[in-house]
Amino acid sequence: MAEVALIDLPEIDGMRADILELAVRIEQYVTHATVYPPVITFGSGEVDDPDREGLTADEVEDLVVALQRAIATLRGGSDGPSPDGF
């Protein structure tokens, strides 16, 4: 596993810094026979954190869209659910 990039997130108000340090990493697993596609992981600053989830770029884009919809809904900017249920 190679860390391609680490993106530090600023402290977020309302998050308990003593239990959650967020880190976003781009990682790629490479063996002698196979080069796997890079993934983006989210989680604590610990590389070996078992709760970190690896997502492809397409999956992260889907997550971003869902989060943007959630923000729009909270701010009253939603026109109701979209055809795909959001």
Side-chain angles (χ1 to χ4, degrees):
M1 180 70 68
E3 183 176 278
V4 177
L6 172 64
I7 301 159
D8 289 324
L9 297 175
E11 187 173 319
I12 299 171
D13 290 339
M15 290 191 131
R16 295 172 38 190
D18 58 329
I19 60 169
L20 183 61
E21 176 187 330
L22 291 177
V24 177
R25 287 184 169 79
I26 301 171
E27 299 175 346
Q28 188 169 23
Y29 189 72
V30 178
T31 69
H32 69 282
T34 306
V35 175
Y36 293 88
V39 295
I40 299 169
T41 61
F42 304 89
S44 76
E46 298 297 321
V47 173
D48 295 330
D49 182 350
D51 292 330
R52 287 185 34 220
E53 190 68 38
L55 302 171
T56 66
D58 289 340
E59 291 168 333
V60 172
E61 284 180 342
D62 291 343
L63 176 60
V64 168
V65 168
L67 292 172
Q68 288 172 330
R69 289 178 177 166
I71 291 167
T73 299
L74 286 175
R75 293 186 174 159
S78 174
D79 294 329
S82 68
D84 58 2
F86 292 99

